[in-house]
Each structure stands twice: as structure tokens, then as C-alpha cells.
Amino acid sequence: METSNGNTTVMDMFEKGKVMKICAPMVRYSKLAFRSLVRKYSCDICFTPMIVAADFLRSVKARDSEFTTNESDRPLIVQFAAHDAQSLADAACVVAPFSDGVDLNCGCPQRWAMSAGYGACLINKPELVKDMVRHVRNQVDNPNYTASIKIRIHKDLRQTVDLCQKAESAGVSWITVHGRTAEERHQPVHYEAIKTIKDSVSIPVIANGDIKYLRDVETIHQLTGVDGVMAARGLLSNPAMFTGYEDTPLECVWDWVDIAIEQGTQFTCFHHHLIYMLERVSSQPERKVFNSLSSTSAVIDYLENTYGTVKTIG
């Protein structure tokens, strides 16, 4: 499959030996406009927000609202929540012409997802995960289309290694490991666990969890030997993080304004992203004023009056 790199497939990108920099699936946030922004700032691969496969297949409205893309939005991985192999494979077939791979969410720890049989509860069902990967592999008519999984770890790491090896045997393309258990939230990431998983399989492994600066990419690569890193909150706070900026540069703020207006981003989403981007570079009184703004024109006036046009904040 052609990507934005010409004829390079996602798996070719891993083989080039550089540590891949990836934008995580983020509910409400990793949509087309934000993906367009981080791609300008050295992000190699982007994920859509998690989409529930059954709803996606059932409703045209869900498909239109949950999945939007364009020609420059590549390489793109579409992440699905599913608990049966056929739904995942069917959803993969729908998005395959417009993306480079699908990812099965086996890491979401939220109660609603777990109770519905989605997300992190799947790490305890290795045979089902294996079947789901195999179905995607067999039914998407493109040998370069990837089928990956994103997982959390078990308290007993042997179970996680078993899951990963089973997924590898089914043909999984790569595995993203969030180095926390389903019960952990803000505890330190278990990088040694990610290293153990990386050492136990021969496919690419991506590390996820607490990546906030470009220097973290190399540190985690050295600690674990992973093939890439995936950032979520770090990119929300600073979409230019992978380029090496410590905080969001003003150029990036204005790029977001341009992209969001061009793509018709809803005000709430437009504003929330700016709240994240400006958090580390603004004072509490400034944040209080900015957070209370209620229109795009008010936001633009505020940015021009407070920061000026394109130059680095601070």
C-alpha cells in the first residue's frame, strides 16, 4: 500500500531502523485535524480514536462521524474496539481502502469498555485475540495492510508474554504495550516489562506511557530496545514534541488555528486543544481568561493580543 512516503509500507518504515514516533488513539482528540497538525511536526504514524466496530458497521451516521480522513492523512491506523472476530474483520474491510492498518484495542481500562467485553479484558482472552488477528489477516485483500494490537500488561508478566507470542503466531504486525496494568493509572510505567515483551517476540514493539519530551523517546528506546514510541498526553500538551520543542511553539498554535478553521473543527474541540497546548506556557490568570472564551473569533483575538503572531512562546 502506498503511504505518504511514496511506495513505503508501514512495515518498511519499521525496518529502516529509526525509532518510530506515533500519535496514540485518543477519544475525541486524535481526529483528522489534530493528526494533520502532529504530522507537520515529525509524527511518523497516527491512530484514529477508538471506534466501536459493531456500531461502526451498524450505522452510516457512526461511520461518517467517527471516521474522517483525507489523502495526506497517511500512514493511518484505525483503532477498533471489538469482541468478536467477524465484526473486527468486517470493519477492517470497510476502512482498508482509506488506511494502512487496523489496531485492536486490548488496553482500554474504562469500566464501560471492560463490561462490554472490549478493551483491557481482552488481554485475558489470548485465543480470541489470536482469532481476531487471523480474521483480519485472512479477509483484508491487501498483504501490506497491518493488523496490530495495543495492550496493557498483567501483574504476572508470563501471561502477557504468552498473549504476545500467540498474537505473533496469528500474524499480528506489531504490538503496542502500555506499560501499566489495567488497574494502574498514574503509577510509574513498567519499562522492564516492555523490554521483556520486546525480547520475547520478533515483531516490532511500541512503548506507550509517559512520553512527554523528545529526549524520552531515546531514553525509552535505550531502556527497552523498542521499535517505536507512542505518545498521548505529551502530544496534547505539545503537538511539536517529536520535533524537539520543550513546549508548544507559537508557530504550532497558529498552525492549529489554520487547520481547525480549514477543516471546520467544532469550537469545543478547537478550544480544548488550545487549552492543553497553552497550559505549560501561560499563567493561571491567563488560563482562567482563556478557558472562559466562547467563540473562535474571541480565541484568535486573545492569541494575537497575548502572544502576537508567529514566534516561539517564551
Side-chain angles (χ1 to χ4, degrees):
M1 171 171 288
E2 287 203 5
T3 69
S4 54
N5 298 337
N7 294 319
T8 308
T9 68
V10 172
M11 297 314 291
D12 290 336
M13 292 168 71
F14 282 117
E15 284 169 18
K16 288 179 178 167
K18 81 165 190 167
V19 183
M20 302 302 292
K21 299 187 280 293
I22 301 172
C23 174
M26 291 178 275
V27 173
R28 294 186 301 278
Y29 291 122
S30 62
K31 295 197 166 188
L32 175 60
F34 187 70
R35 298 194 301 265
S36 304
L37 180 67
V38 295
R39 290 185 194 282
K40 288 174 71 89
Y41 291 93
S42 303
C43 189
D44 297 308
I45 298 171
C46 291
F47 275 57
T48 68
M50 181 184 79
I51 300 167
V52 176
D55 296 345
F56 185 77
L57 292 167
R58 195 180 302 122
S59 159
V60 173
K61 188 178 175 185
R63 288 198 288 282
D64 290 345
S65 67
E66 295 287 329
F67 182 64
T68 51
T69 185
N70 61 27
E71 286 182 0
S72 57
D73 186 29
R74 307 294 281 273
L76 178 65
I77 306 300
V78 183
Q79 191 189 65
F80 284 109
H83 49 48
D84 71 282
Q86 198 54 57
S87 292
L88 180 64
D90 288 346
C93 289
V94 172
V95 299
F98 314 103
S99 58
D100 300 278
V102 290
D103 184 83
L104 173 63
N105 184 313
C106 303
C108 178
Q110 291 181 30
R111 194 172 289 119
W112 75 265
M114 304 266 282
S115 63
Y118 301 133
C121 70
L122 290 174
I123 64 173
N124 298 315
K125 300 176 181 178
E127 294 300 332
L128 175 58
V129 170
K130 193 173 166 181
D131 192 38
M132 293 165 94
V133 169
R134 192 173 282 136
H135 264 67
V136 173
R137 278 278 186 230
N138 290 343
Q139 291 183 37
V140 174
D141 188 23
N142 176 351
N144 293 322
Y145 198 72
T146 63
S148 55
I149 61 175
K150 184 174 187 290
I151 67 170
R152 285 187 173 237
I153 60 173
H154 299 82
K155 285 195 179 79
D156 179 355
L157 201 57
R158 289 171 298 184
Q159 290 177 265
T160 320
V161 168
D162 177 62
L163 168 70
C164 294
Q165 290 175 339
K166 283 193 164 97
E168 182 179 22
S169 73
V172 81
S173 306
W174 81 82
I175 298 171
T176 302
V177 183
H178 184 130
R180 293 184 175 98
T181 67
E183 295 74 39
E184 291 176 322
R185 292 296 180 271
H186 303 293
Q187 291 88 335
V189 175
H190 301 286
Y191 292 115
E192 74 290 345
I194 299 176
K195 182 182 190 313
T196 299
I197 292 162
K198 172 61 189 165
D199 291 344
S200 71
V201 295
S202 55
I203 50 173
V205 172
I206 309 300
N208 174 223
D210 286 0
I211 290 138
K212 293 173 182 163
Y213 300 98
L214 182 62
R215 59 180 175 269
D216 298 335
V217 175
E218 188 51 35
T219 302
I220 291 161
H221 173 63
Q222 294 293 337
L223 278 173
T224 62
V226 290
D227 305 273
V229 298
M230 176 184 281
R233 285 188 301 246
L235 278 176
L236 279 182
S237 296
N238 177 10
M241 174 183 82
F242 285 145
T243 310
Y245 289 98
E246 293 285 298
D247 294 310
T248 308
L250 190 53
E251 179 186 2
C252 180
V253 171
W254 284 114
D255 279 341
W256 170 245
V257 172
D258 291 343
I259 289 167
I261 289 171
E262 182 190 330
Q263 295 191 13
T265 302
Q266 286 183 318
F267 176 76
T268 306
C269 177
F270 166 68
H271 191 211
H272 278 182
H273 275 290
L274 287 168
I275 289 169
Y276 278 115
M277 287 181 213
L278 297 171
E279 190 174 17
R280 293 207 301 247
V281 294
S282 54
S283 65
Q284 193 171 5
E286 286 173 335
R287 286 199 295 276
K288 193 173 180 184
V289 171
F290 185 78
N291 295 1
S292 70
L293 299 176
S294 57
S295 72
T296 301
S297 57
V299 165
I300 291 170
D301 287 347
Y302 177 91
L303 293 173
E304 285 178 343
N305 293 333
T306 308
Y307 300 114
T309 50
V310 178
K311 64 179 183 180
T312 305
I313 296 175

